[in-house]
Amino acid sequence: MTDTLTIRRPDDWHLHFRDDEVMQAVVPYTARQFGRAIVMPNLSPPVTDTASASAYRSRILAAVPEGVDFMPLMTCYLTDNTDPEDLADGAKAGVFTAAKLYPANATTNSAHGVSDVAKIYPVLEAMERADIVLCVHGEVTDNDIDVFDREAEFIERHMRAIVRDFPSLRVVFEHITTSDAVDFVMAASDNVAATITPQHLHINRNAMLVGGIQPHNYCLPVAKREGHRLALRKAATSGATKFFLGTDSAPHLRSAKESSCGCAGIFNAPFALESYLTVFDEEEALEHFEAFASLNGPRFYRVPVHDQTITLERGDTHVPQTIAMAGEEIVPWHAGEMLSWRISS
Ligand code: NCD
Ligand code: ZN
C-alpha cells in the first residue's frame, strides 16, 4: 500500500477568493497547497476590465503570507458590453489568463453576466485570435428547465455551437457535474477541457436534500444523481489529460448559508488536496493524482509545471466544524469529518 505520495506542486484552476476581510482569511489556505489559482471575477461589482483585475491581483498578492510562493491568475468577467480590445490588451500585458462566461443570473453575483451568447461573438472571435482561454459556467437559466437538467441543456444549446464556431478557442467547461459533460468533453477536440470539484466527486444530490435541507452541500451547479457522480469519479481518476483540478472553493459565511435563502457555494479550500486524494485512493488511482492535480492544467493553460513538490501521507486530518472568519464563522467542506490523508511537506 502506498503511504506517501510526492507530486509536483498543484494548481487550482477555479477558485473564488472574494475581497476584503474574507479574502485575507482564505488566501493563505489556498497558497499553502497550490502554486497558482485561476481566480474568479464575480466580485460585487464584478472584475470586468484590465484595470480592476490588476488592482484585484495586487490585493490578493498582499494577502499571501510572507515566504509563500503563490501566483493568482486573473480572469475577466464577460458581459454583454465587454470591450474585446481591453481584454486582448489585458492578456497581452499578462493581467488576464482567461475570461469567464457566466450566463446572466446563473449563480452567485452573475446578474451582470451574458444575456445571450450571440452577443459576445465578437469577443469570442477576439479571444480565439489572441489565444485567451474561455472558462464557462455551463448552465442555462430558463425557468422551464429543471435545475438538474441545466448543464445538459447548456451543452445542446450553447457548448456545441461555441466549439463549432470557434474551433481554435481553448474552452474550459467549469465544475462539470454530469456524465453528459464528461462525454461532451471527451468527444471534443484537444482545445476543450474540464475542471472537477471535490464535492462533485464525493456527493450526489441526496446530500443536499435527505434528512432535511443541507445548506452546506449546496453549490452550483448542484450535485446530480449518483450515476453522474460515478462518471465524474471515473473521468477524474482515469488519467485522461482533459480533466483537471478546480476546487470552486466559494466561501460564504455561515449566516449567509444558514438562511431562508441560502447562498450557493462550498468552502473547500482548507483541505482540498486531502479531499481529492481520498477519492483517488478509494478509486485505487493514486498513480493518476499528479496528472489531475499538477500536470493536466498547466499543459492546457500552456504554463510550466512547478519545480517544487508537495508530499502527502496517509494519516488523520481532522476537519473542524467551523472556522472563525471576518468576525463570524464559516463551515468548511467535510466539517467534523476525519480525512485519511494529510500534507506532510
Ligand atoms: C460560486 C460563488 O459563490 O461565487 N458558487 C457556487 O455555488 N459554485 C459561483 C459559481 O462558481 O457558480
Ligand atoms: Zn465557481
Side-chain angles (χ1 to χ4, degrees), residues 14 16 18 42 100 102 107-108 137 175 218-221 248 250 252 264-266:
H14 180 127
H16 302 267
R18 314 304 189 202
N42 62 333
K100 176 71 186 245
Y102 288 107
T107 186
T108 308
H137 183 111
H175 43 51
Y218 173 56
C219 68
L220 287 167
D248 195 17
H252 293 279
I266 290 179

Side-chain angles (χ1 to χ4, degrees), residues 68-242:
V68 175
D69 188 12
F70 174 78
M71 184 51 68
L73 305 175
M74 309 310 289
T75 56
C76 177
Y77 181 118
L78 298 177
T79 71
D80 289 352
N81 304 311
T82 297
D83 174 3
E85 230 165 273
D86 175 72
L87 174 54
D89 288 349
K92 209 164 178 192
V95 175
F96 287 129
T97 298
K100 176 71 186 245
L101 167 57
Y102 288 107
N105 303 312
T107 186
T108 308
N109 290 345
S110 62
H112 301 277
V114 174
S115 66
D116 177 358
V117 179
K119 288 195 179 159
I120 59 158
Y121 261 43
V123 176
L124 299 183
E125 265 160 39
M127 289 175 64
E128 185 177 42
R129 226 176 303 122
D131 201 18
I132 303 167
V133 171
L134 175 69
C135 297
V136 180
H137 183 111
E139 287 191 290
V140 298
T141 55
D142 308 57
N143 209 25
D144 59 330
I145 304 296
D146 192 286
V147 72
F148 295 103
D149 296 333
R150 288 180 172 191
E151 183 173 283
E153 190 63 26
F154 189 91
I155 295 171
E156 299 311 321
R157 287 196 199 173
H158 303 298
M159 274 304 218
R160 292 194 196 286
I162 292 171
V163 306
R164 180 194 65 221
D165 296 342
F166 304 97
S168 302
L169 180 65
R170 281 180 290 149
V171 179
V172 182
F173 198 156
E174 302 275 59
H175 43 51
I176 59 170
T177 61
T178 58
S179 61
D180 311 70
V182 169
D183 294 345
F184 172 79
V185 169
M186 282 307 289
S189 81
D190 284 348
N191 287 331
V192 180
T195 54
I196 305 181
T197 76
Q199 57 267 22
H200 293 112
L201 297 172
H202 278 278
I203 60 173
N204 61 34
R205 62 194 196 175
N206 290 353
M208 239 173 359
L209 298 169
V210 173
I213 287 190
Q214 313 282 334
H216 300 291
N217 290 336
Y218 173 56
C219 68
L220 287 167
V222 287
K224 307 294 193 300
R225 286 176 183 278
E226 178 64 359
H228 293 295
R229 183 182 79 98
L230 296 178
L232 295 170
R233 282 172 79 101
K234 193 164 163 217
T237 62
S238 66
T241 55
K242 282 169 162 272

